[in-house]
Amino acid sequence: MDAPKAGASNHWDAGETLADRFRVHVGNAQHLYGYAVREVIGAHVDEMHAALAVPPQTNEVGRSAALLAGLFDLVVASGVRRIRLLEVGASAGLNLLLDHYAYRGDSWQFGFTDSKIQFVDSIEGPVQPEHFMITSRAGCDLHPVDATTADGRLLLTSFVWPFDLDRHQRLSLALAIAAVHPVRIDRAPASRWLRYALTDEPDGLPVVWHSITQMYWPSDEVTAVEGILSCYGAQHRLGEVSLEFNPDSPRGAKPELRTRLWDPGSGRPIRERRLGTAHDHGIPVTLTAS
Ligand SMILES: C[S@@+](CC[C@H](N)C(=O)[O-])C[C@H]1O[C@@H](n2cnc3c(N)ncnc32)[C@H](O)[C@@H]1O
């Protein structure tokens, strides 16, 4: 990639230029920042402000490895192997497709063995693998992205750092899978959506899953979601898997992988586990709980 000539930036089309530059050349990261991004931003300040007004749409499939470890935990605890997966803050919903990806450790595997996305040894620590199936999946987001459109794919790609080659590859493979197995993501805040997504279907364990989204929620949203989960969980079996930054942890701490299980039928209203931590982008997941 050549460095742009001085004074040439105003002739560039921003979308085309950033897309071209973000096709990733590791050795040229300096050029990317030194020339392309700086000049394109300068020429498109209003568009940049508008883009920054919404939370980032980093739909990172590495986080599905954390989701998987959480689901293993809930299956062990509940004995239920049919999972209704409900994701809030799902972006394009790529993590809802975890059973289309392959995960392998020393003595276990899960998912679609021949998947183009292979997570090998991505979960460290005491994995307790369990067989389960996802019977339905659905999600919501304040600003859902449609991964089946060119614009949606470009938007998601724009949120991956140009030098993160593995993540770019994983995202493009996940987008190809999502094109064949599209998931519906409703446009709604978490609390409004959960009110109707948590239904009384008798079949399976509903599991609410969320990753790296709560930090963008206003406090009344956090309170409202908590109220909905407790209220539903007081009457029904319900699971939750979360990978979120703990607001009480010191700056720089990793996101925490937690599960909760409401099981009024067993006389136990709630079981809570902190299973471990994960990288911001999901892998590696480090399990610490016994
Ligand atoms: C960093 S992305 C994470 C996406 C996905 N959970 C993942 O881990 O790949 C944060 C997402 O949370 C969404 N979001 C923020 N506030 C929300 C809310 N109150 N209800 C639902 N989604 C929300 C944003 O629109 C964005 O898509």
Side-chain angles (χ1 to χ4, degrees):
M1 180 175 71
D2 294 331
K5 307 257 182 321
S9 60
N10 287 343
H11 303 298
W12 300 350
D13 172 87
E16 184 187 53
T17 302
L18 284 175
D20 289 347
R21 298 304 187 264
F22 272 62
R23 268 192 235 303
V24 179
H25 296 270
V26 176
N28 285 326
Q30 291 292 77
H31 288 270
L32 180 77
Y33 285 97
Y35 298 99
V37 168
R38 192 171 53 198
E39 295 205 15
V40 171
I41 286 175
H44 297 85
V45 171
D46 290 345
E47 290 100 316
M48 291 305 297
H49 277 296
L52 290 171
V54 297
Q57 295 289 346
T58 345
N59 199 183
E60 177 51 67
V61 270
R63 294 176 189 143
S64 68
L67 169 62
L68 176 64
L71 287 175
F72 282 159
D73 176 69
L74 290 180
V75 171
V76 171
S78 68
V80 182
R81 297 181 186 279
R82 294 171 67 79
I83 303 292
R84 289 160 40 206
L85 201 50
L86 303 166
E87 181 172 8
V88 292
S91 187
L94 299 180
N95 288 318
L96 285 166
L97 293 170
L98 80 160
D99 48 346
H100 293 273
Y101 313 146
Y103 306 81
R104 262 189 295 130
D106 270 354
S107 55
W108 64 274
Q109 63 178 47
F110 177 87
F112 176 48
T113 317
D114 294 333
S115 175
K116 292 236 161 45
I117 300 192
Q118 297 280 330
F119 292 102
V120 180
D121 295 330
S122 300
I123 310 180
E124 299 164 353
V127 182
Q128 233 187 313
E130 283 292 332
H131 172 70
F132 66 85
M133 66 180 293
I134 295 172
T135 56
S136 66
R137 64 197 91 212
C140 80
D141 198 283
L142 272 186
H143 306 281
V145 182
D146 185 346
T148 65
T149 66
D151 279 356
R153 289 192 291 270
L154 183 63
L155 182 68
L156 293 175
T157 305
S158 77
F159 281 103
V160 179
W161 294 111
F163 39 80
D164 272 347
L165 298 180
D166 288 350
R167 291 179 60 218
H168 270 284
Q169 193 193 22
R170 222 164 35 227
L171 176 60
S172 80
L173 293 171
L175 291 172
I177 292 170
V180 183
H181 303 281
V183 278
R184 180 179 149 180
I185 305 299
D186 294 326
R187 181 180 297 276
S191 55
R192 175 141 53 85
W193 185 75
L194 279 175
R195 275 195 193 98
Y196 69 83
L198 280 170
T199 56
D200 284 346
E201 280 171 57
D203 182 34
L205 177 70
V207 174
V208 174
W209 147 247
H210 50 96
S211 58
I212 320 297
T213 179
Q214 246 175 5
M215 61 193 285
Y216 303 107
W217 300 1
S219 59
D220 57 347
E221 177 80 334
V222 177
T223 309
V225 167
E226 199 54 34
I228 292 162
L229 297 182
S230 322
C231 197
Y232 185 89
Q235 304 292 328
H236 309 82
R237 200 149 47 175
L238 168 69
E240 180 194 35
V241 181
S242 59
L243 179 68
E244 300 287 357
F245 290 103
N246 182 339
D248 300 326
S249 291
R251 199 177 155 77
K254 290 181 177 172
E256 297 182 358
L257 175 62
R258 291 176 178 272
T259 58
R260 291 194 288 180
L261 180 67
W262 290 259
D263 193 355
S266 74
R268 277 183 302 133
I270 190 169
R271 166 192 179 271
E272 298 188 66
R273 288 275 188 286
R274 181 187 183 279
L275 299 184
T277 57
H279 184 275
D280 300 9
H281 297 132
I283 54 175
V285 178
T286 307
L287 301 182
T288 50
S290 56

